[in-house]
Amino acid sequence: MEYVLETVNLTKKYKDKNAVDNLNIHIKKGEIYGFLGENGAGKTTTIRMIMGLIKPTQGSIEMFGENISSKKNQYLERIGSIIEFPGFYPNLTAKENLEIHRRLIGIQGKKCIDEALEMSGMKDTKNKLVKEFSLGMKQRLGVARALLHHPEILVLDEPTNGLDPVGIKEMRELILDLSSKKNITVLISSHNLSEIQQMATTIGIIHKGKLVEEIDFETLQNKNRHYIKIKVSDDKKAAMLLEEKLCIFDYRVSEKNILQVYEKLSDSPKINRLLVENHVDVGEIILMKDTLEDYFIKATGGEGIA
Ligand SMILES: Nc1ncnc2c1ncn2[C@@H]1O[C@H](COP(=O)(O)OP(=O)(O)O)[C@@H](O)[C@H]1O
Ligand SMILES: [Mg+2]
């Protein structure tokens, strides 16, 4: 598998503590990679290393199949980012702020400014002073600035922090749009599971500097299934009855005498009757939701993520 961005045993040590600890993340072309972790997990430190703002203590970063340490400037042209809150000149307009940035980084021609404003949905507010902007608008202007040089990868460090629900939704729509229409690969960090879940095609969970899971969308969907939990006196006999009498095959024995049935969810009265009539005691039969949240709580050792 060819990745546009991957880290190889990436480590950053501060004093005697690894803020990022042997991290191996893998980002495919065109995907939205959700980098999920609670506060202090090591997300910003990782992103700072990717953007070349701080040096790894150990390990490396590969972009487009090459180790980037020798070619920093070349690869920085292909990546755009917002790290924490983007700063702007409050007394200048959105457009003027972008113009200053364009000159600063040396992009030829002004066409890129209108394009970036258009892409980030800021076209109608381009002549407004930044001091009149909401936080959500500032974040979108931050995205516009990150897009000025037409990067292939966009790195967003907690872009929805502090935004209200409307701002969060707009940011999500913008990211989905950039991904689907412009085919930009996105790395987005967050401490909010449900937010990431609504847009990511892969989720990497970082906990205390370590990657605890990296899961693709399909696996994620499967983790989020509903099921009937049945506590019985004899799991083997119960399983046999389910298969033979009700043609239920999508089930598993999660622990001794506990069955999880993933299909025919409205059939629990029927299942109950069948088991009892065949002398299998039913201690409990309930509809459960095997949520992603439960899964993350397990993955992070019971501490969970907000
Ligand atoms: N410059 C620094 N000096 C010392 N410790 C740091 C520094 N930057 C971050 N850390 C520590 O590294 C850990 C990870 O921080 P950070 O990457 O900012 O986490 P996140 O972005 O996931 O909230 C935290 O424990 C933080 O206190
Ligand atoms: Mg951070």
Side-chain angles (χ1 to χ4, degrees):
M1 170 67 72
E2 183 74 9
Y3 298 107
V4 290
L5 176 60
E6 67 183 299
T7 64
V8 184
N9 300 327
L10 191 66
T11 301
K12 181 72 186 179
K13 195 168 185 169
Y14 287 120
K15 294 201 181 111
D16 53 353
K17 191 182 140 195
N18 284 343
V20 173
D21 194 353
N22 277 289
L23 190 85
N24 295 288
I25 60 172
H26 308 85
I27 305 174
K28 293 183 275 248
K29 187 171 166 51
E31 79 169 336
I32 299 178
Y33 188 98
F35 193 34
L36 184 68
E38 59 194 354
N39 286 332
K43 303 180 296 295
T44 301
T45 307
T46 303
I47 288 174
R48 286 180 165 274
M49 287 192 276
I50 291 172
M51 297 311 298
L53 298 169
I54 51 172
K55 261 178 92 150
T57 312
Q58 254 172 53
S60 59
I61 295 154
E62 292 191 6
M63 227 176 267
F64 309 104
E66 282 186 274
N67 187 323
I68 56 152
S69 54
S70 54
K71 301 180 178 157
K72 233 170 224 150
N73 294 339
Q74 276 177 36
Y75 85 81
L76 280 178
E77 284 174 11
R78 301 174 71 177
I79 187 164
S81 71
I82 314 185
I83 301 179
E84 278 145 9
F85 296 107
F88 293 103
Y89 296 103
N91 291 317
L92 298 182
T93 65
K95 195 171 177 173
E96 285 163 348
N97 266 285
L98 293 186
E99 171 60 16
I100 288 180
H101 189 72
R102 179 190 75 82
R103 277 189 258 161
L104 199 69
I105 61 173
I107 305 173
Q108 301 290 315
K110 295 192 178 191
K111 208 174 79 197
C112 65
I113 293 181
D114 282 329
E115 285 169 357
L117 286 164
E118 166 93 50
M119 275 203 285
S120 58
M122 296 295 291
K123 213 171 89 184
D124 297 336
T125 29
K126 65 182 179 187
N127 294 319
K128 208 170 166 163
L129 297 181
V130 167
K131 67 178 174 194
E132 291 162 8
F133 275 22
S134 66
L135 186 59
M137 287 161 76
K138 276 188 204 155
Q139 288 296 70
R140 286 214 302 283
L141 186 58
V143 172
R145 184 166 69 187
L147 290 172
L148 269 189
H149 61 293
H150 299 292
E152 292 156 73
I153 306 175
L154 188 60
V155 177
L156 306 171
D157 190 16
E158 304 225 33
T160 56
N161 248 5
L163 298 188
D164 59 17
V166 175
I168 292 173
K169 183 164 177 276
E170 283 173 356
M171 183 54 77
R172 181 170 66 238
E173 281 164 1
L174 171 57
I175 292 166
L176 287 168
D177 215 46
L178 290 172
S179 165
S180 64
K181 297 201 182 119
K182 308 286 172 190
N183 203 25
I184 294 176
T185 306
V186 181
L187 164 59
I188 172 173
S189 78
S190 175
H191 62 270
N192 187 315
L193 167 63
S194 63
E195 195 180 294
I196 281 292
Q197 207 182 336
Q198 290 180 58
M199 59 180 137
T201 45
T202 300
I203 294 186
I205 310 169
I206 182 173
H207 185 62
K208 296 187 175 158
K210 288 191 165 77
L211 190 74
V212 289
E213 281 284 351
E214 199 170 54
I215 15 180
D216 60 48
F217 187 71
E218 212 167 287
T219 315
L220 276 175
Q221 296 300 60
N222 282 330
K223 297 259 184 232
N224 219 7
R225 298 170 79 189
H226 294 234
Y227 63 92
I228 309 170
K229 180 180 169 188
I230 317 169
K231 200 167 168 184
V232 291
S233 55
D234 180 344
D235 56 29
K236 287 197 185 65
K237 191 168 173 192
M240 188 197 74
L241 287 165
L242 290 185
E243 289 192 17
E244 288 184 0
K245 304 287 183 196
L246 297 176
C247 292
I248 290 174
F249 298 101
D250 193 2
Y251 72 90
R252 68 187 187 100
V253 179
S254 62
E255 54 188 285
K256 189 166 169 48
N257 291 336
I258 307 268
L259 272 78
Q260 298 187 352
V261 174
Y262 292 97
E263 59 178 331
K264 302 184 182 163
L265 298 182
S266 55
D267 276 359
S268 46
K270 214 190 252 179
I271 294 173
N272 193 16
R273 202 161 49 236
L274 172 78
L275 294 173
V276 172
E277 279 172 5
N278 287 281
H279 313 291
V280 176
D281 294 339
V282 178
E284 190 175 77
I285 181 159
I286 31 174
L287 186 65
M288 304 279 284
K289 205 172 168 231
D290 192 4
T291 63
L292 202 56
E293 211 164 323
D294 297 337
Y295 177 73
F296 282 124
I297 289 169
K298 270 182 231 145
T300 56
E303 289 169 51
I305 291 165

